[in-house]
Amino acid sequence: IAFAFTKAERTDAAPVDPPQCKALALFNQGVRPVLAAPCAAMCHGGGLPTAKSAFDMSSASSMDVEVQKKLCLQTLSRVNLPDPGRSVIVLQATPAAQGGTPNHPYKLPSPAAFRDAVSAWAAAEKK
């Protein structure tokens, strides 16, 4: 990779606000409970170190708002905003026979409710 610049100059750009969840209430209502149990309770909370290192959900049960905001942002990075139903957090928990990925060992028995919750939350995040 190479870069070539024809001009370099200083600008007085306005500072960028850090990203934040816009729809924390929807995240807490429909998404975080699934992340807390079964996901964190079974694997991603520390029960399975490889799962925790892939996506640490150990804080999913926290009632601390700042902790919830951080988890919301971490989870949002795994959401396909244009097509939330195709997000990695949805596909990993969906049985392969229903369009999910075959590589994740745990599948939700009824993934549609989780998919719908992620979709509603993602729609509110885009506003």
Side-chain angles (χ1 to χ4, degrees), residues 20-31:
Q20 51 186 299
C21 278
K22 300 174 194 165
L24 184 63
L26 281 174
F27 173 75
N28 282 335
Q29 178 184 349
V31 179

Side-chain angles (χ1 to χ4, degrees), residues 32 41 59 72 77 85 94 96 111 122 127:
R32 190 172 61 87
S59 63
C72 184
S77 72
T94 301
K127 291 180 181 179

Side-chain angles (χ1 to χ4, degrees), residues 13-100:
V16 177
D17 291 329
Q20 51 186 299
C21 278
K22 300 174 194 165
L24 184 63
L26 281 174
F27 173 75
N28 282 335
Q29 178 184 349
V31 179
R32 190 172 61 87
V34 175
L35 300 183
C39 301
M42 293 177 65
C43 302
H44 290 274
L48 187 59
T50 54
K52 185 177 179 184
S53 69
F55 184 12
D56 183 353
M57 297 179 196
S58 59
S59 63
S61 296
S62 176
M63 297 310 290
D64 182 305
V65 175
E66 293 305 314
V67 172
Q68 292 171 359
K69 288 178 182 179
K70 183 177 176 184
L71 180 63
C72 184
L73 277 176
Q74 290 171 330
T75 307
L76 189 57
S77 72
R78 291 163 170 81
V79 174
N80 177 345
L81 288 174
D83 189 358
R86 303 294 304 158
S87 298
V88 69
I89 62 169
V90 173
L91 296 177
Q92 292 285 55
T94 301
Q98 296 177 35

